[in-house]
Amino acid sequence: MNYFPDEVIEHIFDFIASHKDRNSISLVSKSWHKIERCSRKRVFIGNCYAINPERLIERFPSLRSLTLKGKPHFADFNLVPHEWGGFVHPWIVALAKARVGLEELRLKRMVVSDESLELLSRSFASFKSLVLVSCEGFTTDGLASVAANCRHLCELDLQENEIEDHRGQWLNCFPESSTALTSLNFSCLKGETNLAALERLVARSPNLESLKVNRAVPLDALTRLLSCAPQLVDLGVGSYENEPDQESFVKLMDAIKKCTSLRSLSGFSEVAPLCLTAFYPICQNLTSLNLSYAAEIQGNHLIRFIQFCKRLQRLWILDSIGDKGLEVVASTCKELQELRVFPSDLHDEEDNDTAVTEIGLVAISAGCPKLHSILYFCKQMTNAALITVAKNCPNFIRFRLCILEPNKPDHTTSQSLDEGFGAIVQACKGLRRLSVSGLLTDKVFLYIGMYAEQLEMLSIAFAGDTDKGMLYVLNGCKKMRKLEIRDSPFGNAALLADVDKYRTMRSLWMSSCEVTLGGCKRLARNAPWLNVEIINENENNDLMMERNEEDEREKVDRLYLYRTVVGARKDAPPCVTIL
Amino acid sequence: MINFEATELRLGLPGGNHGGDMAMKNNGKRGFSETVDLKLNLSSTAMDSDSGVDLNTMKEKVVKPPAKAQVVGWPPVRSFRKNVMSGQKPTTIDAVEGTEKTSGSNGATSSASIGATAAYVKVSMDGAPYLRKIDLKLYKTYKDLSDALSKMFSSFTIGSYGPQGMKDFMNESKLIDLLNGSDYVPTYEDKDGDWMLVGDVPWEMFVDSCKRIRIMKGSEAIGLAPRALEKCRNRS
């Protein structure tokens, strides 16, 4: 390879897309490092505080696509204060200043302001794609600037963001000359939608493949939209509480029949059963179906629908489908790769015997040979079932089981679920992500440390007995990147045993555990390349630092630590102390 | 050093230290019967300290979970999803509008205003094939509401409102005209279960007391007229 000119090597590198591979390439030699970094177009930053924008731009001058993640995962469950951080603005400012030819920006759990969006829209002439997932801090005014100013916008994908809806005319802001849209998702907007503007936009976007509307788009509007976009591949519908009349129903079904390219269906925040049947004509083409917001559809309607969906690869559904429903899925959906079953009853108010149990899980594992990812909320589980699942499905990459009641044992034997999860990690040699629940002792972590060689992300809640549990994991799982623990009895001994381990990890989260302020301080002293953040909403920054030796023994409510090359961040709010 | 034998994974043998190969089916039952035996032993003999300790350990294993209502962030379901499912307005974050601090701390959002719950009401229109749900808190005046309603049911004519929007109801003669015509008129059911014409009361009071909205033909709303007319007379 030494005799090839740089251009040839660069051309070869063009074929290597995966971030991990490109990172490896850059370590081979100085010249490869240089060629790689100068030609690198897409960069993924899993923790926006691990590096700063200036260094990013310095290293990758040809940057076109940037992915940034901000808040830790448990922010999804209200465990992180809203003002914690993760602001995208400094990134946009820096990229604009350096005149980076940014074309794509993908953000997850970050704080985005209207000002940021405005700056973004004006600074990058070739900007094509904006994807925001679980972000917050902006309004439809920000969307209006993106629509108005990004002449080449192809993709605007807003997933589960908190957006203040000013019910302005942001859809009107797409200029008439804008015809390049391929993907538009505004399903998370809460307010009314200008239907006329939307219809005109869709009508002049012949390349539109993905359209996900919000709940305010009624049936007749949907029918019109489908009529002028029969080429759609991915559709998210609104909310249709009432049964449609005969005429509307027929029109809708006719429009749907013409959508022969449709492969993915979602939305349905409320849907009368009859509306669902309008989609029967395209069921057999569907590879992805998300009915997990349709709280009011009963199991039998769901089952009737799914019976037609023989090609499904991905299914997100509510537990109202029941074990019987999952048995139908198992016998119908032989191509199924990913299943998510969400709880419909979040407060455990009803004694719901139509919810799912270990029976449904076993049925799925037996019927769907290609299954590799599962997220399963249920009320009960047994070791026997998990052992059977492990035997049936050794190919799991992601296995997330959430038993709704913390510390719940195997309901037939009253034992812990150590053996069940142990079977999973032993059989699934490619397992990369695992969430455990139910009654668990240190033993399950021994199994995880021993067998889960590829494990990168582990979520633990209400589990374990002693520090040994956490130590088994830290010592055993060589590829661990993200470890998040809540309400488990792990303390300083585990935290401090192997400080260098955190060099190989992206982050560690511990909340309501046994670590103390003293332990965290010691860690911070021994590892200056870590940011050790203590989050304590009830306390003032200054108060914390003034404490004497005694208070070092006080338990830390929330600890979040992550490796970084740029030291302590300067935008932390008062409730966050960086040691 | 790990004693491998002790840690060897023996599938299907929850608890206990049994050797060899046992059919999975029996193990569950054996485990359970052991539990039962333990309890019986304790009750039939005098307090045997060993059994006592075992029982306590067993108890600890099957610990009572914390009361569900008190566990923050559990079950691990995204707040976004929780809010959609319960039909509530998600916590609103005040939008950052140029609140940049020069020191580099950017766009700090103020904490979520959890107090602002939504005021969702169903809106039906006579003859329309569907209902809509709207959040009254999204609007600030009757005019806003009127604009929104006419967009929602745009395929039907609601009839013209004057530039004042619903304040036209304040004018007696216009009111009578409206009720005689075939145009549509928005009415609402209030907290007491009474049906009123929209526009009767100050906006905030309306938002607080409105339970649902029905857009009906003017001629049908005649029955509500007397009260509205009386109010008009009282005001003028």
PDB file of all heavy atoms in Angstrom, chain B residues 13-35:
ATOM      1  N   LEU B  13     -31.655 -25.007  36.984  1.00  0.00           N
ATOM      2  CA  LEU B  13     -31.601 -25.423  38.382  1.00  0.00           C
ATOM      3  C   LEU B  13     -31.596 -24.187  39.265  1.00  0.00           C
ATOM      4  O   LEU B  13     -30.574 -23.799  39.785  1.00  0.00           O
ATOM      5  CB  LEU B  13     -30.341 -26.236  38.660  1.00  0.00           C
ATOM      6  CG  LEU B  13     -30.280 -27.563  37.927  1.00  0.00           C
ATOM      7  CD1 LEU B  13     -28.905 -28.185  38.073  1.00  0.00           C
ATOM      8  CD2 LEU B  13     -31.339 -28.508  38.472  1.00  0.00           C
ATOM      9  N   PRO B  14     -32.741 -23.590  39.360  1.00  0.00           N
ATOM     10  CA  PRO B  14     -32.766 -22.365  40.149  1.00  0.00           C
ATOM     11  C   PRO B  14     -32.521 -22.637  41.608  1.00  0.00           C
ATOM     12  O   PRO B  14     -33.144 -23.504  42.204  1.00  0.00           O
ATOM     13  CB  PRO B  14     -34.182 -21.822  39.941  1.00  0.00           C
ATOM     14  CG  PRO B  14     -34.972 -22.970  39.469  1.00  0.00           C
ATOM     15  CD  PRO B  14     -34.047 -23.985  38.881  1.00  0.00           C
ATOM     16  N   GLY B  15     -31.580 -21.940  42.194  1.00  0.00           N
ATOM     17  CA  GLY B  15     -31.280 -22.084  43.624  1.00  0.00           C
ATOM     18  C   GLY B  15     -30.747 -23.469  43.934  1.00  0.00           C
ATOM     19  O   GLY B  15     -30.698 -24.346  43.091  1.00  0.00           O
ATOM     20  N   GLY B  16     -30.307 -23.695  45.101  1.00  0.00           N
ATOM     21  CA  GLY B  16     -29.900 -25.046  45.526  1.00  0.00           C
ATOM     22  C   GLY B  16     -28.666 -25.543  44.827  1.00  0.00           C
ATOM     23  O   GLY B  16     -28.222 -24.989  43.826  1.00  0.00           O
ATOM     24  N   ASN B  17     -28.067 -26.573  45.334  1.00  0.00           N
ATOM     25  CA  ASN B  17     -26.778 -27.020  44.831  1.00  0.00           C
ATOM     26  C   ASN B  17     -26.858 -28.459  44.390  1.00  0.00           C
ATOM     27  O   ASN B  17     -26.141 -29.322  44.884  1.00  0.00           O
ATOM     28  CB  ASN B  17     -25.750 -26.853  45.953  1.00  0.00           C
ATOM     29  CG  ASN B  17     -24.402 -26.496  45.368  1.00  0.00           C
ATOM     30  OD1 ASN B  17     -24.234 -26.463  44.160  1.00  0.00           O
ATOM     31  ND2 ASN B  17     -23.453 -26.258  46.234  1.00  0.00           N
ATOM     32  N   HIS B  18     -27.729 -28.743  43.499  1.00  0.00           N
ATOM     33  CA  HIS B  18     -27.903 -30.139  43.080  1.00  0.00           C
ATOM     34  C   HIS B  18     -26.867 -30.513  42.049  1.00  0.00           C
ATOM     35  O   HIS B  18     -26.473 -29.686  41.236  1.00  0.00           O
ATOM     36  CB  HIS B  18     -29.290 -30.329  42.463  1.00  0.00           C
ATOM     37  CG  HIS B  18     -30.362 -29.842  43.370  1.00  0.00           C
ATOM     38  ND1 HIS B  18     -30.796 -28.552  43.344  1.00  0.00           N
ATOM     39  CD2 HIS B  18     -31.050 -30.464  44.349  1.00  0.00           C
ATOM     40  CE1 HIS B  18     -31.748 -28.403  44.273  1.00  0.00           C
ATOM     41  NE2 HIS B  18     -31.909 -29.554  44.887  1.00  0.00           N
ATOM     42  N   GLY B  19     -26.456 -31.749  42.103  1.00  0.00           N
ATOM     43  CA  GLY B  19     -25.467 -32.169  41.112  1.00  0.00           C
ATOM     44  C   GLY B  19     -26.143 -32.829  39.942  1.00  0.00           C
ATOM     45  O   GLY B  19     -27.319 -33.171  39.984  1.00  0.00           O
ATOM     46  N   GLY B  20     -25.445 -32.964  38.896  1.00  0.00           N
ATOM     47  CA  GLY B  20     -25.887 -33.833  37.796  1.00  0.00           C
ATOM     48  C   GLY B  20     -27.025 -33.300  36.967  1.00  0.00           C
ATOM     49  O   GLY B  20     -27.408 -32.140  37.044  1.00  0.00           O
ATOM     50  N   ASP B  21     -27.551 -34.208  36.177  1.00  0.00           N
ATOM     51  CA  ASP B  21     -28.574 -33.787  35.225  1.00  0.00           C
ATOM     52  C   ASP B  21     -29.958 -34.099  35.739  1.00  0.00           C
ATOM     53  O   ASP B  21     -30.279 -35.246  35.992  1.00  0.00           O
ATOM     54  CB  ASP B  21     -28.373 -34.540  33.908  1.00  0.00           C
ATOM     55  CG  ASP B  21     -26.925 -34.960  33.733  1.00  0.00           C
ATOM     56  OD1 ASP B  21     -26.593 -36.068  34.206  1.00  0.00           O
ATOM     57  OD2 ASP B  21     -26.141 -34.204  33.192  1.00  0.00           O
ATOM     58  N   MET B  22     -30.700 -33.057  35.884  1.00  0.00           N
ATOM     59  CA  MET B  22     -32.082 -33.282  36.310  1.00  0.00           C
ATOM     60  C   MET B  22     -32.993 -32.708  35.258  1.00  0.00           C
ATOM     61  O   MET B  22     -32.703 -31.672  34.690  1.00  0.00           O
ATOM     62  CB  MET B  22     -32.337 -32.572  37.633  1.00  0.00           C
ATOM     63  CG  MET B  22     -31.457 -33.061  38.740  1.00  0.00           C
ATOM     64  SD  MET B  22     -32.410 -33.213  40.219  1.00  0.00           S
ATOM     65  CE  MET B  22     -31.234 -33.970  41.284  1.00  0.00           C
ATOM     66  N   ALA B  23     -34.069 -33.368  35.041  1.00  0.00           N
ATOM     67  CA  ALA B  23     -35.026 -32.840  34.057  1.00  0.00           C
ATOM     68  C   ALA B  23     -35.525 -31.492  34.541  1.00  0.00           C
ATOM     69  O   ALA B  23     -35.775 -31.290  35.708  1.00  0.00           O
ATOM     70  CB  ALA B  23     -36.178 -33.824  33.904  1.00  0.00           C
ATOM     71  N   MET B  24     -35.631 -30.599  33.628  1.00  0.00           N
ATOM     72  CA  MET B  24     -36.040 -29.244  33.999  1.00  0.00           C
ATOM     73  C   MET B  24     -37.367 -29.216  34.707  1.00  0.00           C
ATOM     74  O   MET B  24     -37.578 -28.458  35.612  1.00  0.00           O
ATOM     75  CB  MET B  24     -36.121 -28.393  32.733  1.00  0.00           C
ATOM     76  CG  MET B  24     -35.148 -27.255  32.791  1.00  0.00           C
ATOM     77  SD  MET B  24     -35.336 -26.023  31.536  1.00  0.00           S
ATOM     78  CE  MET B  24     -35.530 -26.882  30.051  1.00  0.00           C
ATOM     79  N   LYS B  25     -38.256 -30.034  34.287  1.00  0.00           N
ATOM     80  CA  LYS B  25     -39.618 -29.977  34.824  1.00  0.00           C
ATOM     81  C   LYS B  25     -39.629 -30.194  36.326  1.00  0.00           C
ATOM     82  O   LYS B  25     -40.378 -29.552  37.038  1.00  0.00           O
ATOM     83  CB  LYS B  25     -40.476 -31.078  34.185  1.00  0.00           C
ATOM     84  CG  LYS B  25     -40.926 -30.720  32.778  1.00  0.00           C
ATOM     85  CD  LYS B  25     -41.904 -31.726  32.220  1.00  0.00           C
ATOM     86  CE  LYS B  25     -41.841 -31.680  30.685  1.00  0.00           C
ATOM     87  NZ  LYS B  25     -42.058 -32.958  30.078  1.00  0.00           N
ATOM     88  N   ASN B  26     -38.792 -31.087  36.792  1.00  0.00           N
ATOM     89  CA  ASN B  26     -38.848 -31.421  38.218  1.00  0.00           C
ATOM     90  C   ASN B  26     -38.293 -30.319  39.090  1.00  0.00           C
ATOM     91  O   ASN B  26     -38.730 -30.137  40.215  1.00  0.00           O
ATOM     92  CB  ASN B  26     -38.049 -32.701  38.501  1.00  0.00           C
ATOM     93  CG  ASN B  26     -38.715 -33.891  37.874  1.00  0.00           C
ATOM     94  OD1 ASN B  26     -39.923 -33.880  37.679  1.00  0.00           O
ATOM     95  ND2 ASN B  26     -37.942 -34.909  37.563  1.00  0.00           N
ATOM     96  N   ASN B  27     -37.338 -29.609  38.553  1.00  0.00           N
ATOM     97  CA  ASN B  27     -36.619 -28.666  39.410  1.00  0.00           C
ATOM     98  C   ASN B  27     -37.515 -27.604  39.991  1.00  0.00           C
ATOM     99  O   ASN B  27     -37.462 -27.314  41.168  1.00  0.00           O
ATOM    100  CB  ASN B  27     -35.485 -28.010  38.632  1.00  0.00           C
ATOM    101  CG  ASN B  27     -34.420 -29.025  38.326  1.00  0.00           C
ATOM    102  OD1 ASN B  27     -34.303 -29.994  39.038  1.00  0.00           O
ATOM    103  ND2 ASN B  27     -33.690 -28.790  37.283  1.00  0.00           N
ATOM    104  N   GLY B  28     -38.325 -27.047  39.157  1.00  0.00           N
ATOM    105  CA  GLY B  28     -39.211 -26.001  39.656  1.00  0.00           C
ATOM    106  C   GLY B  28     -40.014 -26.514  40.822  1.00  0.00           C
ATOM    107  O   GLY B  28     -40.102 -25.912  41.885  1.00  0.00           O
ATOM    108  N   LYS B  29     -40.574 -27.665  40.629  1.00  0.00           N
ATOM    109  CA  LYS B  29     -41.412 -28.235  41.683  1.00  0.00           C
ATOM    110  C   LYS B  29     -40.591 -28.503  42.936  1.00  0.00           C
ATOM    111  O   LYS B  29     -41.016 -28.226  44.035  1.00  0.00           O
ATOM    112  CB  LYS B  29     -42.048 -29.549  41.202  1.00  0.00           C
ATOM    113  CG  LYS B  29     -43.087 -29.348  40.112  1.00  0.00           C
ATOM    114  CD  LYS B  29     -44.388 -30.033  40.455  1.00  0.00           C
ATOM    115  CE  LYS B  29     -45.501 -29.370  39.695  1.00  0.00           C
ATOM    116  NZ  LYS B  29     -46.109 -30.202  38.703  1.00  0.00           N
ATOM    117  N   ARG B  30     -39.408 -29.047  42.743  1.00  0.00           N
ATOM    118  CA  ARG B  30     -38.591 -29.355  43.928  1.00  0.00           C
ATOM    119  C   ARG B  30     -38.283 -28.081  44.687  1.00  0.00           C
ATOM    120  O   ARG B  30     -38.377 -28.016  45.890  1.00  0.00           O
ATOM    121  CB  ARG B  30     -37.287 -30.034  43.517  1.00  0.00           C
ATOM    122  CG  ARG B  30     -37.464 -31.498  43.221  1.00  0.00           C
ATOM    123  CD  ARG B  30     -36.145 -32.181  43.137  1.00  0.00           C
ATOM    124  NE  ARG B  30     -35.451 -32.143  44.409  1.00  0.00           N
ATOM    125  CZ  ARG B  30     -34.516 -33.005  44.739  1.00  0.00           C
ATOM    126  NH1 ARG B  30     -34.191 -33.956  43.896  1.00  0.00           N
ATOM    127  NH2 ARG B  30     -33.897 -32.924  45.892  1.00  0.00           N
ATOM    128  N   GLY B  31     -37.911 -27.053  43.932  1.00  0.00           N
ATOM    129  CA  GLY B  31     -37.608 -25.793  44.601  1.00  0.00           C
ATOM    130  C   GLY B  31     -38.769 -25.345  45.449  1.00  0.00           C
ATOM    131  O   GLY B  31     -38.628 -24.968  46.600  1.00  0.00           O
ATOM    132  N   PHE B  32     -39.927 -25.431  44.875  1.00  0.00           N
ATOM    133  CA  PHE B  32     -41.108 -24.952  45.581  1.00  0.00           C
ATOM    134  C   PHE B  32     -41.380 -25.797  46.816  1.00  0.00           C
ATOM    135  O   PHE B  32     -41.682 -25.277  47.884  1.00  0.00           O
ATOM    136  CB  PHE B  32     -42.313 -24.980  44.642  1.00  0.00           C
ATOM    137  CG  PHE B  32     -43.529 -24.365  45.246  1.00  0.00           C
ATOM    138  CD1 PHE B  32     -43.591 -22.996  45.466  1.00  0.00           C
ATOM    139  CD2 PHE B  32     -44.601 -25.150  45.632  1.00  0.00           C
ATOM    140  CE1 PHE B  32     -44.714 -22.414  46.037  1.00  0.00           C
ATOM    141  CE2 PHE B  32     -45.724 -24.573  46.194  1.00  0.00           C
ATOM    142  CZ  PHE B  32     -45.780 -23.213  46.403  1.00  0.00           C
ATOM    143  N   SER B  33     -41.288 -27.103  46.654  1.00  0.00           N
ATOM    144  CA  SER B  33     -41.609 -27.958  47.799  1.00  0.00           C
ATOM    145  C   SER B  33     -40.601 -27.769  48.917  1.00  0.00           C
ATOM    146  O   SER B  33     -40.922 -27.880  50.082  1.00  0.00           O
ATOM    147  CB  SER B  33     -41.675 -29.431  47.389  1.00  0.00           C
ATOM    148  OG  SER B  33     -40.422 -29.814  46.870  1.00  0.00           O
ATOM    149  N   GLU B  34     -39.366 -27.448  48.526  1.00  0.00           N
ATOM    150  CA  GLU B  34     -38.374 -27.145  49.570  1.00  0.00           C
ATOM    151  C   GLU B  34     -38.815 -25.967  50.391  1.00  0.00           C
ATOM    152  O   GLU B  34     -38.697 -25.936  51.601  1.00  0.00           O
ATOM    153  CB  GLU B  34     -37.022 -26.829  48.922  1.00  0.00           C
ATOM    154  CG  GLU B  34     -36.226 -28.066  48.638  1.00  0.00           C
ATOM    155  CD  GLU B  34     -34.903 -27.741  47.992  1.00  0.00           C
ATOM    156  OE1 GLU B  34     -34.574 -26.534  47.877  1.00  0.00           O
ATOM    157  OE2 GLU B  34     -34.208 -28.682  47.615  1.00  0.00           O
ATOM    158  N   THR B  35     -39.330 -24.992  49.683  1.00  0.00           N
ATOM    159  CA  THR B  35     -39.814 -23.807  50.384  1.00  0.00           C
ATOM    160  C   THR B  35     -40.901 -24.177  51.363  1.00  0.00           C
ATOM    161  O   THR B  35     -40.904 -23.768  52.511  1.00  0.00           O
ATOM    162  CB  THR B  35     -40.383 -22.799  49.372  1.00  0.00           C
ATOM    163  OG1 THR B  35     -39.512 -22.704  48.276  1.00  0.00           O
ATOM    164  CG2 THR B  35     -40.584 -21.464  50.038  1.00  0.00           C
TER     165      THR B  35
END
